[in-house]
Amino acid sequence: MMMLQVISFEMASVGTTCSVMIEGLTRRQFQDLVLSVGTHRTERRLSPLEVAQLIQTAVNTGMTRSECADILDLGTTQVSTFLKLLKLPRSIRYLADWGGKTNASISFSTMAELTRLAPSDQIEAAEAILKYRLKWKEVVQLVQIKIRSSSTLIEAINTVLRLRPRIIKQYLFLGAVYKGDQQKRLGLLSASQRSVIFDSILLQLVGRRSNIVGNLGTENFTIVSTIDLAESLGQQPDELEQQVNGYLGEALGTL
């Protein structure tokens, strides 16, 4: 028999008490969820992907999307946008962020738009967003061109870029986390914890450089810069990937 859980807690930020019925989430998970959604939030405890995973947990245990939306004070369209992130390939889901705060991340609404593309095009489209810093409207254009014409994805990307007064190009490095045990350990960490780890890795790798940013998932990592990073370090791409994995092993070994 399905059990409903009543969660009541005080939201210190607004000085009110919230009492709701929700299924499948712990008290801490629900608090984190409530304190992460809504356009008024400046500091958020969870990443968009983590929000999507908790909403999906609630749906899996019997709640409807409409019920989730009511409890979280969101529209059902917003709830659906979060859940679309779970339809993306695992190798790019971690790139979803709140408003694409860095050049190594993509706003979750933009990432959700990619689900309209064929799965084979979604990874390449995400890479193009990072490489050319495509805005949400440009991504909408890109998807529409690809769906409504016989253009390849590359042709659709080039069409969008030609509409720009100036092309902004950055260097994108996509790497893999080699070891399965490290992937498992990363899976136990929050997005913010992984961010701290990767910031320390970049600091060891290149020092404090504002033109080089990165993002760490559980199976992959991304580095975006205004220069060819491997070339500037006098390395081949696979050597750079190995070096990052070495630093990652050291970082995880200290946890």
Side-chain angles (χ1 to χ4, degrees):
M1 180 174 65
M2 187 71 67
M3 295 295 293
L4 292 181
Q5 184 178 15
V6 178
I7 297 179
S8 178
F9 66 93
E10 182 177 345
M11 295 180 63
S13 61
V14 294
T16 60
T17 299
C18 177
S19 180
V20 298
M21 298 181 68
I22 196 165
E23 301 172 30
L25 303 186
T26 65
R27 179 177 183 276
R28 176 58 184 270
Q29 286 175 325
F30 183 71
Q31 286 179 335
D32 288 347
L33 185 57
V34 170
L35 295 173
S36 296
V37 297
T39 56
H40 61 290
R41 299 289 174 198
T42 54
E43 295 295 330
R44 304 177 193 263
R45 293 186 179 182
L46 303 176
S47 70
L49 178 58
E50 290 166 337
V51 168
Q53 290 167 334
L54 290 183
I55 292 176
Q56 186 62 58
T57 297
V59 170
N60 289 344
T61 52
M63 295 194 71
T64 66
R65 295 186 180 191
S66 179
E67 288 171 334
C68 291
D70 288 342
I71 290 172
L72 298 174
D73 195 24
L74 298 174
T76 54
T77 299
Q78 289 174 291
V79 169
S80 296
T81 299
F82 281 115
L83 293 178
K84 284 179 182 180
L85 299 179
L86 301 178
K87 298 179 180 180
L88 294 166
R90 291 176 59 88
S91 60
I92 61 173
R93 290 179 190 175
Y94 72 99
L95 295 173
D97 202 351
W98 302 106
K101 291 188 296 186
T102 75
N103 287 344
S105 64
I106 302 171
S107 72
F108 77 94
S109 58
T110 299
M111 289 290 286
E113 186 70 18
L114 298 186
T115 60
R116 297 174 59 200
L117 295 172
S120 57
D121 288 330
Q122 291 170 7
I123 295 176
E124 190 173 1
E127 293 175 1
I129 293 170
L130 290 174
K131 187 174 182 179
Y132 299 107
R133 296 310 302 165
L134 299 179
K135 305 298 184 182
W136 181 80
K137 289 184 178 180
E138 293 177 317
V139 175
V140 171
Q141 287 179 319
L142 167 63
V143 172
Q144 289 176 342
I145 292 170
K146 184 66 180 71
I147 292 175
R148 297 175 181 177
S149 71
S150 58
S151 301
T152 65
L153 185 66
I154 292 297
E155 290 171 340
I157 292 169
N158 288 334
T159 298
V160 171
L161 292 177
R162 283 196 294 270
L163 298 175
R164 282 181 165 181
R166 181 171 63 91
I167 295 176
I168 301 173
K169 183 175 180 179
Q170 297 189 103
Y171 290 86
L172 172 66
F173 187 90
L174 295 176
V177 176
Y178 291 156
K179 298 182 179 180
D181 61 328
Q182 292 181 349
Q183 293 178 3
K184 291 179 181 178
R185 294 195 66 182
L186 289 171
L188 298 175
L189 301 178
S190 67
S192 59
Q193 289 172 320
R194 292 196 301 270
S195 178
V196 170
I197 289 174
F198 207 60
D199 284 346
S200 70
I201 289 174
L202 289 178
L203 184 61
Q204 294 178 79
L205 193 65
V206 296
R208 296 191 181 279
R209 300 278 293 274
S210 60
N211 63 333
I212 300 176
V213 293
N215 206 328
L216 176 63
T218 57
E219 301 173 6
N220 304 86
F221 64 87
T222 305
I223 302 175
V224 180
S225 64
T226 56
I227 60 174
D228 186 329
L229 184 57
E231 182 178 282
S232 70
L233 295 174
Q235 298 178 339
Q236 294 298 317
D238 58 340
E239 292 175 322
L240 176 57
E241 186 177 53
Q242 290 171 8
Q243 187 174 8
V244 171
N245 272 270
Y247 286 142
L248 178 59
E250 293 174 4
L252 291 177
T254 61
L255 295 179

